[in-house]
């Protein structure tokens, strides 16, 4: 029990981390309960109410088709968060696998990194367009496309860190003891890679949200009927000059989520550092 | 002892690290005098505060932390004027650094700018303090390199630090320090990172330079072998304090403080020598335990917990200075052989 | 004449390719007898650390043979080497501890790897190992950053001992430690050697410690053996010019004794471009023309002494 309390104390050593966690929790809550608790029907179009400024009825105003922006943000949360989280987790998983193997096994380094280079050669939007046009517009395909785009970043960072850690004295000492290679990778190298991986996770989440917005803007995102934050931002560009709320509120949702995730990521990274565990 | 004013007179130097609630005392009342042409060795293990003492005097303490220094550090410059290094303005100190008092460090690779040639770095000091123009500064830099016996000095002027070996880089550091002919040189572990054969070269060079210029040297090291042959006086530091000060011969022949005695008994070279002299095998003594954490020092002697001859009073009361002016120790024990 | 525990013959270790090829160790041969402490001394660039690592197959040697108790180690696969790693362990220069692993877990890992003291016997064994090296049982739950330099080194020794080896390579185990702590570790090593009957290869640049601790000494310069001799003989009457220069340059902690002498001028040559013939000739005060033409053989000069110098007969 004391261990958990110490964990929490370290995590929230900086108040900002607590705020970030609360914000993220709120977002998740929004996504979860959006089906039942919404001020308005997010899909209901009321053309007479289009582009209304924020008022008591519509807290964030209405968009170009008279739909309540607040409800759409709440409803879209689940899609946006899912796309962001899905991409980040998948990219982290594959990137770590590739980077770890490339960094540790000299003979695998060149072939694996050439694959990674090939993946990096495609500009993300182009790759997204290509994949989505082949596979069709849906959240799953967007996640797939963006995973391919972002895996190389993680792979390169993990490979670089692995190269460094591999030469550190304690890894050499473990080899001298006779520790098997799988154990060497999982117990001695991987935990010490956590820091850069976590940082990448939070970055990719934010990038994925924005990339989805870009893809949606070009019409190859999730499909116009699904109200992700990205599609809302994309659609708002036409009206932003006269109705700033159409851009502002969905944009803020993206910014706050990405920022909270990064701060939380920093907090968790500090948490995992045994050096800070004992510090009161 | 000379009746002249000491070149450097340090009295009651205290350096505290300001962090959290209470300041952490890391240098606790260090005092010493340094005369012209003399070398004082400041000896101690890691955490003793010897490097911090030097950095405090030079006002080069790390800038990412907050410090508090008190005490007196009077430097008599070449004209005979006295300056308190701890109290003068930053600008004044900057003028004195490199010109009146210079410092060389342990790891020359990190102290030399990798993107500037060796000649440029030496000349920089010359231009700054002596106000010479580029050509004259370069000539002076060449002379400085020749003075430190750098092979192929003219060629080296235009080389970069990474092209030089460890010994050569240390010569460059010495050249940079000496080029403006300072009166005091502080050398912080200058040969610790060098091989034994190169160390011998560098130490011989430093002795020769000192003899030629009459400058005084504060030599910081943990290597008692180096101290034995390159210093006239020794100050032994432990937990931020000087615990014994003596001439080098007295210190090795009759160490008065239990820590000094313990340190000497730790040296395998000495154990072997004593064995040879007495004809019997001599076991290597060690000092049990480790140096105390500076934030948990009590009111008594900081060495008491590791001291083999401590009295109950040692833990409770701060030890006084005992002995004579030329051989003093910070200890409760009277007449300890 | 007992069979040696370790026999190294003509060992070479090379790194890099083409113009960047470094011959860190060249044609090194010596034996280590069971129960002996052999000192391996040299300055930076001598190849002593590389030799130690190549000996226990942590790095790949490029030629020669390493035999442990008659078994050839060169060319063994990782799997074949693993059971031998129980017998042959290494103590490193500080730090060599995983910052995320607790001390007890690290020792348990060694025991697991070799299937020793499983189940209920494990915890007592870990406590015993800690005790042997002068640490306390409660240290098992600490992380490496909570230990001082001396304690970390004790832990490193405990790790090496956990596998119950017969032979330990100690690579500069004292260099990162303060004087008083060095003395503690030296005394610990002496005690362990007597208690457990270990054979040690002690790699160091500190001549004083080597003289105190070792039975015989091998002197390396730029990857080649210059001299091998019993400790007392080496320090009293060094036969090779490099050894002579090295010993006279080492400062004696006694102001009444001779000051360090500078016999060697200049810097050691680069290992990328070693001199032809005898690698020491460029700094040797006794070099002659013949020294550039042939690599001097390591010749026995009686009473367990070997010298690699063309002119050694002139002063032995």
């Amino acid at each position: 029990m004391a261990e958990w309390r110490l964990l929490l104390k370290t995590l929230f050593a900086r108040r900002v981390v607590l705020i970030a966690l609360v914000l993220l929790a709120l977002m998740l809550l929004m996504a979860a309960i959006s089906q039942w608790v919404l001020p308005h029907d997010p899909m209901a179009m009321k053309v007479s109410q289009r582009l209304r400024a924020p008022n008591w009825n519509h807290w964030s105003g209405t968009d170009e088709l008279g739909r309540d922006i607040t409800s759409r943000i709440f409803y879209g949360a689940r899609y946006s968060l899912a796309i962001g989280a899905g991409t980040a987790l998948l990219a982290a998983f594959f990137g770590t696998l590739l980077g770890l193997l490339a960094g540790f096994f000299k003979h695998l380094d060149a072939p694996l990194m050439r694959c990674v280079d090939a993946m990096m050669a495609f500009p993300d939007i182009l790759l997204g367009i290509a994949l989505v046009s082949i596979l069709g517009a849906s959240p799953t395909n967007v996640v797939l496309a963006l995973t391919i785009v972002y895996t190389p970043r993680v792979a390169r960072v993990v490979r670089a860190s692995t190269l460094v850690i591999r030469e550190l004295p304690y890894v050499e000492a473990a080899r001298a003891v006779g520790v098997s290679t799988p154990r060497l990778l999982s117990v001695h190298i991987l935990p010490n890679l956590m820091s850069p991986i976590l940082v990448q996770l939070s970055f990719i989440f934010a990038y994925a949200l924005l990339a989805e917005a870009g893809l949606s803007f070009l019409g190859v995102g999730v499909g116009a009927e699904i109200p992700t934050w990205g599609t809302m931002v994309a659609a708002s560009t036409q009206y932003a000059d006269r109705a700033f709320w159409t851009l502002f509120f969905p944009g803020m949702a993206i910014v706050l989520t990405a920022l909270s995730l990064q701060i939380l990521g920093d907090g968790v990274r500090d948490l995992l550092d045994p050096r800070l565990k004992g510090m009161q | 002892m000379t009746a002249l004013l000491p070149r450097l007179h340090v009295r009651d130097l205290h350096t505290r690290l300001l962090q959290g609630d209470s300041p952490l005392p890391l240098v606790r009342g260090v005092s010493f005098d340094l005369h012209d042409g003399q070398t004082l060795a400041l000896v101690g293990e890691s955490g003793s505060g010897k490097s911090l003492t030097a950095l405090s005097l030079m006002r080069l303490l790390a800038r990412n932390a907050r410090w508090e220094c008190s005490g007196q550090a009077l430097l008599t410059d070449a004209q005979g004027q006295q300056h308190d290094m701890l109290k003068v303005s930053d600008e004044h100190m900057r003028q004195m650094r490199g010109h009146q008092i210079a410092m060389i460090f342990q790891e020359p690779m990190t102290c030399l700018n990798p993107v500037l040639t060796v000649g440029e770095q030496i000349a920089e000091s010359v231009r700054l303090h002596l106000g010479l123009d580029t050509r004259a500064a370069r000539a002076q830099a060449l002379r400085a390199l020749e003075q430190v016996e750098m092979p192929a000095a003219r060629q080296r002027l235009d080389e970069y630090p990474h092209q030089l070996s460890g010994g050569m880089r240390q010569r460059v550091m010495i050249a940079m320090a000496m080029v403006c002919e300072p009166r005091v040189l502080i050398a912080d572990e200058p040969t610790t990172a060098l091989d034994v054969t190169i160390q011998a070269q560098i130490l011989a060079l430093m002795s020769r330079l000192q003899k030629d210029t009459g400058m005084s040297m504060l030599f910081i090291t943990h290597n008692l072998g180096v101290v034995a042959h390159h210093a006239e006086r020794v100050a032994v530091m432990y937990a931020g304090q000087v615990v014994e000060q003596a001439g080098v011969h007295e210190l090795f022949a009759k160490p008065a403080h239990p820590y000094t005695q313990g340190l000497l008994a730790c040296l395998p070279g000495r154990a072997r020598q004593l064995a040879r002299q007495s004809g019997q095998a001599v076991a290597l003594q060690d000092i049990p335990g480790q140096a105390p954490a500076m934030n948990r020092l009590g009111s008594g002697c900081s060495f008491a917990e590791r001291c083999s001859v401590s009295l109950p009073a040692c833990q409770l009361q701060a030890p006084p200075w005992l002995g004579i002016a030329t051989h003093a120790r910070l200890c409760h024990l009277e007449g300890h052989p | 004449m007992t069979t040696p525990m370790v026999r190294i013959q003509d060992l070479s270790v090379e790194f890099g390719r083409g113009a960047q090829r470094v011959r860190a160790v060249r044609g090194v041969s010596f034996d280590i007898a069971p129960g002996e402490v052999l000192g391996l001394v040299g300055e930076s660039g001598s190849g002593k650390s590389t030799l130690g690592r190549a000996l226990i197959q942590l790095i790949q040697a490029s030629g020669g043979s390493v035999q442990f108790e008659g078994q050839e180690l060169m060319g063994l696969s990782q799997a074949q080497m693993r059971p031998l790693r129980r017998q042959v362990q290494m103590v490193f220069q500080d730090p060599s501890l995983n910052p995320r692993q607790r001390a007890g877990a690290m020792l348990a890992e060694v025991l697991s790897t070799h299937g020793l003291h499983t189940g209920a016997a494990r915890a007592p064994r870990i406590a015993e190992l800690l005790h042997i090296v002068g640490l306390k049982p409660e240290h098992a739950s600490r992380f490496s950053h909570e230990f001082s330099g001396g304690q970390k080194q004790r832990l490193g020794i405990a790790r090496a001992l956990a596998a119950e080896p017969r032979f330990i390579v100690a690579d500069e185990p004292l260099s990162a430690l303060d004087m008083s702590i060095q003395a503690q570790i030296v005394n610990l090593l002496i005690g362990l050697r007597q208690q457990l009957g270990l054979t040690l290869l002690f790699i160091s640049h500190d001549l004083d410690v080597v003289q105190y601790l070792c039975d015989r000494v091998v002197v390396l310069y730029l990857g080649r053996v210059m001299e091998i001799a019993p400790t007392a003989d080496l320090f009293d009457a060094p036969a090779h010019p490099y050894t002579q220069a090295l010993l006279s340059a080492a400062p004696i902690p006694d102001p009444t004794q001779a000051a360090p002498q500078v016999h060697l001028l200049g810097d050691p040559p680069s290992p990328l471009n070693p001199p032809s013939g005898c690698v020491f000739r460029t700094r040797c005060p006794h070099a002659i023309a013949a020294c550039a033409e042939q690599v001097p053989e390591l010749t026995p000069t009686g009473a367990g002494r070997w010298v690699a110098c063309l002119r050694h007969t002139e002063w032995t």
Side-chain angles (χ1 to χ4, degrees):
Chain A
M1 195 57 222
E3 175 95 5
W4 279 107
R5 200 173 295 156
L6 190 61
L7 234 65
L8 289 172
K9 198 168 182 187
T10 319
L11 185 59
F12 300 131
R14 291 180 297 154
R15 201 167 301 153
V16 151
V17 179
L18 186 59
I19 297 174
L21 189 64
V22 166
L23 263 170
L24 275 175
L26 279 176
M27 299 285 187
L28 283 169
L29 193 68
M30 253 209 286
I33 64 172
S34 64
Q35 275 197 306
W36 304 285
V37 181
L38 280 176
H40 295 266
D41 179 357
M43 308 302 206
M45 294 184 253
K46 218 168 177 187
V47 181
S48 61
Q49 291 284 327
R50 65 193 298 264
L51 296 177
R52 289 295 160 122
N55 51 47
W56 283 116
N57 202 10
H58 299 281
W59 300 329
S60 319
T62 59
D63 69 0
E64 72 280 7
L65 293 175
R67 294 175 292 199
D68 177 37
I69 290 181
T70 316
S71 310
R72 286 174 70 75
I73 290 180
F74 275 35
Y75 188 65
R78 59 159 82 166
Y79 291 101
S80 293
L81 289 177
I83 291 174
T87 310
L89 288 170
L90 284 175
F93 177 75
F94 289 113
T96 303
L97 196 62
L98 284 174
L100 195 57
L101 292 175
F104 192 78
F105 296 105
K106 286 199 182 76
H107 55 277
L108 286 180
D109 191 8
L112 282 178
M113 288 325 277
R114 293 299 81 76
C115 291
V116 167
D117 285 346
M119 284 159 80
M120 273 190 97
F122 290 94
D124 40 5
I125 300 294
L126 239 61
L127 187 60
I129 295 175
L131 279 167
V132 169
S133 51
I134 298 171
L135 300 168
S138 78
T140 323
N141 293 333
V142 169
V143 169
L144 186 65
L146 291 179
T147 302
I148 296 179
V149 168
Y150 293 120
T151 298
R153 301 177 77 89
V154 180
R156 292 191 135 208
V157 166
V158 168
R159 171 182 173 270
S161 294
T162 306
L163 286 176
V164 170
I165 296 174
R166 189 184 66 180
E167 304 303 326
L168 288 178
Y170 62 83
V171 174
E172 199 177 27
R175 282 174 54 216
V177 160
V179 168
S180 65
T181 308
R183 195 184 155 87
L184 207 60
L185 287 170
S186 54
V187 172
H188 291 281
I189 298 188
L190 190 58
N192 289 296
L193 288 173
M194 272 334 205
S195 188
I197 293 177
L198 276 174
V199 170
Q200 288 298 311
L201 262 176
S202 45
F203 266 109
I204 293 173
F205 182 95
Y207 285 145
L209 285 182
L210 296 171
E212 183 271 313
L215 289 174
S216 302
F217 179 66
L218 292 171
V220 288
V222 292
E225 67 281 0
I226 300 178
T228 63
W229 295 340
T231 51
M232 292 171 72
V233 166
S236 74
T237 50
Q238 280 187 298
Y239 310 99
D241 53 339
R242 40 194 161 118
F244 73 91
W245 53 91
T246 55
L247 172 61
F248 182 75
F249 290 103
M252 277 308 286
I254 297 179
V255 166
L256 283 177
T257 311
L259 198 60
S260 304
L261 207 73
Q262 284 188 17
I263 294 173
L264 190 64
D266 280 355
V268 174
R269 184 199 61 203
D270 288 348
L271 186 70
L272 291 180
D273 187 350
R275 262 165 286 218
L276 298 178
K277 255 192 182 134
M279 310 227 326
Q280 252 74 358
Chain B
M1 269 279 87
T2 173
L4 290 168
L5 267 180
R7 182 60 65 182
L8 181 61
H9 172 82
V10 178
R11 269 291 160 281
D12 213 32
L13 176 67
H14 281 266
T15 302
R16 293 175 199 86
L17 177 66
L18 300 172
Q19 36 112 72
D21 323 310
S22 48
L24 188 63
L26 294 172
V27 178
R28 301 152 62 210
V30 167
S31 307
F32 58 82
D33 286 340
L34 195 56
H35 291 269
D36 264 342
Q38 202 187 52
T39 301
L40 172 69
L42 205 54
V43 178
E45 298 177 296
S46 50
S48 56
K50 53 194 196 300
S51 286
L52 267 182
T53 302
L55 292 172
S56 306
L57 290 175
M58 295 286 285
R59 305 249 295 262
L60 288 175
L61 293 165
R63 281 200 268 194
N64 56 357
R66 281 166 37 245
W67 304 89
E68 187 184 84
C69 287
S70 66
Q72 207 184 35
L74 296 175
L75 176 69
T76 309
D77 70 20
Q79 285 75 42
Q81 277 206 305
Q82 281 200 324
H83 312 260
D84 187 343
M85 297 202 292
L86 298 175
K87 298 202 175 49
V88 297
S89 69
D90 286 344
E91 182 57 35
H92 190 164
M93 191 65 213
R94 209 176 57 78
Q95 284 172 354
M96 286 207 294
R97 251 186 246 126
H99 195 21
Q100 304 290 344
I101 179 167
M103 187 161 174
I104 59 179
F105 300 86
Q106 177 177 339
E107 204 20 274
M109 194 59 206
T110 45
C111 295
L112 290 174
N113 189 336
V115 300
L116 292 178
T117 63
V118 154
E120 277 164 21
Q121 296 190 52
I122 302 175
E124 182 177 30
S125 184
V126 176
R127 282 197 302 269
L128 215 59
H129 292 294
L130 303 179
L132 299 178
D133 67 23
T134 317
R135 180 164 293 179
R138 190 183 157 86
Q140 189 79 329
L142 180 59
R143 238 169 287 147
L145 279 183
E146 284 163 355
Q147 197 183 20
V148 297
E149 293 156 16
M150 177 73 90
R154 194 171 288 271
Q155 188 191 337
R156 301 275 180 246
L157 270 182
D158 297 316
E159 282 184 3
Y160 290 90
H162 68 268
Q163 295 173 278
L164 306 177
S165 70
M168 285 200 258
R169 277 183 228 138
Q170 197 54 287
R171 288 177 198 273
V172 169
M173 281 232 63
I174 296 172
M176 275 171 73
M178 303 278 310
V179 76
C180 296
E181 289 162 14
R183 298 282 75 222
V184 179
L185 178 66
I186 301 182
D188 189 358
E189 309 258 23
T191 56
T192 303
L194 302 174
D195 284 326
V196 153
T197 50
I198 310 295
Q199 172 177 282
Q201 292 176 13
I202 299 294
L203 289 174
L205 169 68
M206 287 173 75
S207 292
R208 192 169 23 250
L209 285 173
Q210 193 181 17
K211 228 174 278 197
D212 290 345
T213 60
M215 72 177 176
S216 13
M217 197 154 47
L218 181 66
F219 196 101
I220 300 170
T221 181
H222 64 268
N223 187 331
L224 287 173
V226 168
V227 169
H229 301 284
H230 291 91
E232 285 93 37
R233 289 192 60 77
V234 185
V236 180
M237 282 189 74
Y238 186 80
Q241 291 175 308
V242 175
V243 295
E244 184 165 357
Q245 239 192 95
V248 67
H249 289 271
E250 289 96 74
L251 192 94
F252 280 88
K254 294 205 209 71
H257 192 280
Y259 176 61
T260 317
Q261 292 163 355
L263 264 188
L264 287 171
C266 275
L267 301 175
R270 209 160 156 83
R272 190 196 125 252
Q273 215 198 348
L274 288 173
R276 177 180 273 189
Q277 283 170 351
S278 68
Q280 297 171 314
V282 172
L284 192 64
Q285 304 287 323
D286 57 56
I287 307 179
Q290 61 217 38
M294 297 304 279
N295 58 354
R296 269 184 247 134
L297 293 169
S299 51
C301 174
S302 34
F303 185 63
E305 56 182 5
R306 299 173 79 190
C307 184
S308 53
V309 291
S310 67
L311 307 167
C314 294
Q315 301 260 15
L316 303 165
Q317 279 179 309
W321 275 102
L322 297 179
I324 54 175
T326 50
H327 190 164
R329 65 185 183 279
L330 199 67
C331 189
H332 283 293
L333 298 163
E334 296 277 353
H336 196 79
Chain C
M1 187 70 160
T2 45
T3 40
M5 178 176 266
V6 177
R7 165 160 281 173
I8 300 178
Q9 280 174 313
D10 208 32
L11 188 66
S12 293
V13 184
E14 297 177 8
F15 301 114
R17 277 187 293 248
Q20 304 303 109
R21 196 155 188 80
V22 174
R23 294 190 180 82
V25 176
R26 299 158 79 186
V28 170
S29 307
F30 57 81
D31 291 344
I32 307 179
E36 152 172 71
V37 178
L38 182 68
L40 189 58
V41 300
E43 298 178 295
S44 49
S46 58
K48 55 190 194 300
S49 280
T50 310
L51 180 63
R53 281 169 170 70
L55 207 167
I56 64 171
Q57 308 295 311
L58 265 187
I59 58 177
Q60 193 82 290
S62 358
S65 115
V66 177
Q67 287 184 355
F68 178 71
E69 294 190 323
Q71 181 172 9
E72 178 61 52
L73 297 184
M74 294 277 291
L76 286 184
S77 70
Q78 288 279 27
Q80 290 167 317
M81 192 62 210
R82 190 155 296 132
L84 285 167
R85 290 212 184 281
R86 249 202 84 183
Q87 311 288 341
V88 178
Q89 278 294 313
M90 190 153 180
V91 174
F92 297 82
Q93 203 174 350
D94 171 81
S96 56
L97 306 170
N98 185 340
R100 289 176 197 272
Q101 210 178 22
R102 292 181 205 269
M106 177 194 74
L107 293 175
E109 181 177 47
V110 182
L111 297 174
S112 298
T113 309
H114 297 287
L116 300 166
H117 299 274
T118 49
R122 180 150 296 172
R125 176 64 181 156
I126 292 178
E128 188 187 355
L129 283 168
L130 289 172
H131 178 74
I132 290 175
V133 297
L135 292 171
K136 303 201 194 81
E138 53 261 30
H139 287 138
S141 56
R142 293 209 198 149
F143 287 100
S144 72
H145 66 273
E146 297 174 79
F147 291 107
S148 69
Q151 288 172 324
K152 276 194 244 193
Q153 195 52 284
R154 289 176 192 271
L155 213 43
I157 294 173
R159 173 174 54 200
L161 293 177
E164 293 161 32
R166 311 256 299 290
F167 175 61
I168 294 185
V169 174
D171 186 7
E172 306 263 20
L174 308 175
S175 307
L177 304 173
D178 281 324
M179 281 181 287
S180 53
I181 314 293
Q182 283 190 17
Q184 291 178 11
I185 302 295
V186 167
N187 282 337
L188 175 65
L189 287 174
I190 292 176
L192 288 173
R193 179 209 176 175
Q194 282 168 353
Q195 244 185 303
L196 305 171
L198 295 169
T199 307
L200 282 177
L201 177 66
F202 190 83
I203 302 173
S204 178
H205 63 272
D206 187 339
L207 296 167
D208 284 341
V209 175
V210 166
Q211 189 175 21
Y212 186 78
L213 194 56
C214 303
D215 303 317
R216 282 194 310 142
V217 183
V218 173
V219 180
L220 278 189
Y221 182 82
L222 221 63
R224 288 201 191 273
V225 177
M226 297 286 110
E227 183 169 2
I228 303 179
T231 311
D233 294 338
L234 189 94
F235 283 83
D236 287 340
H240 195 282
Y242 175 59
T243 319
Q244 291 164 354
L246 197 60
L247 292 178
S248 63
I252 304 170
D254 185 344
T256 59
Q257 302 289 315
Q261 306 287 314
V262 183
H263 288 303
L264 290 188
L265 300 171
D267 293 303
S270 157
L272 282 170
N273 196 8
S276 61
C278 175
V279 287
F280 183 59
R281 65 175 173 82
T282 52
R283 299 169 82 201
C284 182
H286 305 290
I288 51 176
C291 297
E293 278 141 43
Q294 38 169 292
V295 178
E297 290 270 318
L298 196 62
T299 27
T301 59
R305 300 195 65 160
W306 302 66
V307 190
C309 179
L310 295 178
R311 297 181 66 186
H312 75 269
T313 46
E314 297 174 37
W315 44 77
T316 47

